[in-house]
Each structure stands twice: as structure tokens, then as C-alpha cells.
Amino acid sequence: GAAGGGFRPLRVAVVVKTTRYEFEQQRYRYAGLSEEDLKQLLALKGSNYAGLLERHRIHTKNVEHVVDSLRNERIEVRLVKRREYNEETVRWADAVISAGGDGTMLLAASKVFDKFKPVIGVNTDPERSEGHLCLPVRYTHSFPEALQKLYRGEFRWQWRQRIRLYLEGTGINPTPVDLHEQQLSQEQHSRAHINERFQDQRSDISGPHLLPVRALNEVFIGESLSSRYAVCSVLFRENFKSCKPSFKFSLHRASYYEISVDDGPWEKQKSSGLNVCTGTGSKAWSYNINKVAHQAVEEILKIAKKHGSLNMPLNTELVQKVTNDYNESLLYSPEEPKMFFSIREPIVNRVFSSSRQRGFSSKVCVRSRCWDACMVVDGGTSFEFNDGAIASIMIDTEDALCTVLLEE
């Protein structure tokens, strides 16, 4: 059970996700669209208005169930959406409940810096949302049961380790851009960083600057634009009789940086970016970057067999077992204070190397040689990360997030 018996909060903040239906409504509200106009517009985009509304109703009903369950226990509740959720709300609450999916849980966790303030996830649309970070699905419809288990101490605290980031170097900008708030296109994303830069009158902060975020899942570093073209100039002939547009294409921009793992030697690299995750994040993007497919394993084993290195019969069962064993080796406990880094599609040639494409580490340092790059935390907060900036990525156990595992 829980150390020191049960847990009975008096004040709870419930952070509620914005459903796709609400998002679309907000998006077009400024245009003064009626509900009927919205229905037609969504149909033109290939979205199902009735389906979105139904998911919204299911989510809303489940949120009401959680809130009613809390109030029935005489618990004071504050219901907040993304925009209203801030540090003051977190200070007020004894516990934070995330009502949505994993994305809402990441948002709820992002403002909590107190190691002893629990954050509990409730999956409000289990049919459509995985909810790895949430309570088991049955508590969505029987939340009073979860509360009783908390009261009786039938749970254990789970301390999910988080990543902290230090930024130093020349011309760095420690001001974050909220990607959810902006719902940005690639071009807008870059512009948002430029806007922040001028508002901030970016200072040449040289010493290590601890950034005001902690990553529960992962940190990704890479160029913002993977594909773009620019119209550079239009060349006019004399008397303006003809004009010749000149185009410049950049179909893929690799990320160029230097990396040092666990204070080892610096290595110049070019790749599609770098992902550094926690044990919590090892089930997320990192897993999808590194997992191997059944087909690839089968082809490798066939080659090994051809070279006489494999004496056992090759069948589907063996291939599946090897595939599963490898993929499961990529996962580790959210409570382990170590990170797992992955270099996405490294370019290896005379100039650039990649001695380790992935591996566990306790510290990763990256020196940017990029032009338009960013460092993105949990897919929601972005920091500019261009030439001259150095990031130090590490885990400090003081940053752990307090969550619960109910006894089943």
C-alpha cells in the first residue's frame, strides 16, 4: 500500500482536454459560423461532424462522473482547461487529475514541480485513446472505486522520472513557445520563435540556464523544416519583356550538431534528429523509432542461415519471438533514473559518424550547428536551438512526478 496509509485530498484541480469538436468550434468562432456552417465545413474537410460531437459527449459525460464523484466526497474541485491551467492552480490543489488521454496527462504534469503532489490520469474516451499514463479503463466509469482505494491505501506511489534541460552558449533564447496554443504550421512555428525573440530582446546568456520545463516522455532536437522551397528572385529581361523566376529547393534538411554522451568525446553528426526519452517515454515515440518489424527480422535470420550461422529451423514462431524480445528490450521502468537516446537516420560518411545509434545514458550534451532548429519537450513546448547553443540533458531524481498505481 501507500507509505503512511491512505491519501485523502481536500482540493483537486481537474485538467480537462479540449476535444476535437471544441477545437474546431473555437477555430471558426471568429468567422461567426453557425453550427450548420461548421457541419458543412467539416464535411468538406472529410471530417464527420456527428462523430466528433458524439466523442465530445462521451468525454463530457465521463468528466462529469469524475467531478461528481469528487464532490460527493466533499472534495473542493476546480475544473480547468488548457488556457486556464497555471502554477497558481497547482499550488491551490492537493492533487491534480487529468481528464483526457495521454496528451492531457503530459499537460497536467508540465506545471507540477512539487515532487509530492500527485498527478492522476483518467482516460475519458477509452475507445479512441490509448491512455498509457492513465488509470486502468474500468475506473473511467467507476471513479468512486478508485477514490476508495486511495483512501484505504490500496495503491503505491509511482515516481516517474523526468528530464531536465540546461541551455547555454551564444544568442540563446530560453523563452518557450507553446505548440498546442499556436496549433502551428512549420512556417508559423519558426515565426513564433522569432516573435518571442524580439519580445524578449534575447540576451546573450552564457552560463547554463535551467529551462522552466521537465520532460515526462521525451526531448526531441532537430531542424524545424524537413521540406520547403523558396522563391529566391525574379530576373527581369530588359524592357520587362520576359521574366524568369528562380527557385531554390531544399527537399530535406538534415540536422547538424555535435553530441557527447556521459561526458565522452564530442562527435559530429548529421541525422533526422535526436530523441532522448525517460522510462515513461520508452513506450512512446522512442519505441516507434527503434522497434523492428517482423519482416526485417525474418530477412536477417534468412541471411544468417544462408551463411551457416543458424542451425535451427526458421519458422514464424521463432521470428515472432526474436522480434518481440528485441522490441521489449527497448522498454524500461518509468522509475529508473536513466535516459535512452536515439539518433534518427544518422548519415555516416568520411565527415560524420555515429558510433552508437541508440543506448542508455545518464547525460547527453548537444551543441547545435543548425540554422532553424528547435528542442521540443513532450511534443508541446518548443525552444529555439540554433548554431552556438549547447543543451545538457539529464535526470535529477528531485524532478520525479508523483503518480499512483492502484492495487488490482
Side-chain angles (χ1 to χ4, degrees), residues 69-85:
S69 306
L70 291 165
R71 287 184 174 147
N72 288 343
E73 294 291 332
R74 303 281 183 268
I75 295 169
E76 198 180 337
V77 178
R78 220 186 248 189
L79 208 60
V80 289
K81 287 278 195 188
R82 177 181 293 278
R83 283 184 181 179
E84 304 135 10
Y85 183 51

Side-chain angles (χ1 to χ4, degrees), residues 303-367:
I303 292 167
K305 198 168 172 65
K306 191 172 79 180
H307 287 283
S309 311
L310 199 67
N311 299 322
M312 56 182 75
L314 209 56
N315 54 34
T316 309
E317 199 180 325
L318 174 70
V319 173
Q320 197 60 59
K321 190 175 183 334
V322 172
T323 306
N324 293 347
D325 284 359
Y326 177 81
N327 289 342
E328 279 167 27
S329 75
L330 301 168
L331 307 176
Y332 63 106
S333 165
E335 296 182 270
E336 281 195 64
K338 62 181 182 182
M339 306 181 300
F340 187 78
F341 71 90
S342 313
I343 314 295
R344 290 179 67 204
E345 299 148 358
I347 295 167
V348 179
N349 54 28
R350 278 187 306 105
V351 181
F352 300 102
S353 56
S354 179
S355 54
R356 286 170 76 202
Q357 196 169 334
R358 68 185 71 86
F360 290 104
S361 67
S362 56
K363 182 182 179 186
V364 175
C365 294
V366 184
R367 183 184 286 126

Side-chain angles (χ1 to χ4, degrees), residues 96-350:
V96 177
I97 288 177
S98 140
D102 287 339
T104 313
M105 182 68 177
L106 291 171
L107 165 69
S110 70
K111 308 271 188 226
V112 178
F113 292 91
D114 179 347
K115 188 180 177 180
F116 299 102
K117 188 154 295 186
V119 181
I120 301 165
V122 178
N123 188 345
T124 55
D125 191 2
E127 284 175 37
R128 296 294 174 94
S129 173
E130 186 64 46
H132 277 302
L133 304 176
C134 302
L135 294 177
V137 170
R138 67 191 187 87
Y139 296 110
T140 296
H141 305 294
S142 58
F143 193 68
E145 198 187 324
L147 282 176
Q148 292 309 315
K149 287 194 170 185
L150 287 176
Y151 292 169
R152 294 194 298 262
E154 294 171 11
F155 70 94
R156 81 166 181 85
W157 297 118
Q158 183 177 44
W159 305 97
R160 290 181 180 269
Q161 299 299 327
R162 295 194 285 184
I163 292 170
R164 59 165 54 191
L165 299 153
Y166 291 91
L167 200 54
E168 60 186 300
T170 54
I172 65 166
N173 180 9
T175 311
V177 166
D178 185 331
L179 300 183
H180 295 287
E181 196 58 49
Q182 311 247 359
Q183 288 294 332
L184 300 169
S185 70
Q186 288 180 332
E187 186 187 354
Q188 287 170 315
H189 180 195
S190 301
R191 200 181 303 139
H193 275 305
I194 292 163
N195 290 344
E196 292 284 0
R197 186 187 309 167
F198 287 120
Q199 282 166 19
D200 245 48
Q201 293 302 307
R202 53 150 55 183
S203 54
D204 278 351
I205 301 168
S206 52
H209 189 96
L210 177 61
L211 295 181
V213 291
R214 302 291 179 270
L216 179 56
N217 262 356
E218 77 275 304
V219 177
F220 178 77
I221 291 175
E223 285 281 6
S224 306
L225 304 178
S226 58
S227 156
R228 74 175 189 184
Y229 86 88
V231 180
C232 289
S233 59
V234 178
L235 307 175
F236 291 98
R237 296 280 173 263
E238 64 273 22
N239 303 329
F240 305 99
K241 283 178 183 167
S242 66
C243 68
K244 179 185 169 191
S246 162
F247 294 97
K248 182 180 178 183
F249 288 90
S250 168
L251 292 178
H252 179 77
R253 179 184 280 174
S255 304
Y256 173 26
Y257 53 87
E258 292 168 40
I259 183 171
S260 161
V261 176
D262 293 332
D263 293 318
W266 288 89
E267 187 172 270
K268 282 184 184 176
Q269 289 188 345
K270 257 191 182 179
S271 71
S272 297
L274 165 72
N275 179 299
V276 185
C277 77
T278 60
T280 298
S282 69
K283 282 185 174 180
W285 191 6
S286 171
Y287 180 75
N288 290 301
I289 289 170
N290 293 299
K291 69 180 180 186
V292 291
H294 183 280
Q295 182 184 353
V297 172
E298 186 175 22
E299 287 167 10
I300 290 166
L301 291 177
K302 277 179 181 170
I303 292 167
K305 198 168 172 65
K306 191 172 79 180
H307 287 283
S309 311
L310 199 67
N311 299 322
M312 56 182 75
L314 209 56
N315 54 34
T316 309
E317 199 180 325
L318 174 70
V319 173
Q320 197 60 59
K321 190 175 183 334
V322 172
T323 306
N324 293 347
D325 284 359
Y326 177 81
N327 289 342
E328 279 167 27
S329 75
L330 301 168
L331 307 176
Y332 63 106
S333 165
E335 296 182 270
E336 281 195 64
K338 62 181 182 182
M339 306 181 300
F340 187 78
F341 71 90
S342 313
I343 314 295
R344 290 179 67 204
E345 299 148 358
I347 295 167
V348 179
N349 54 28
R350 278 187 306 105

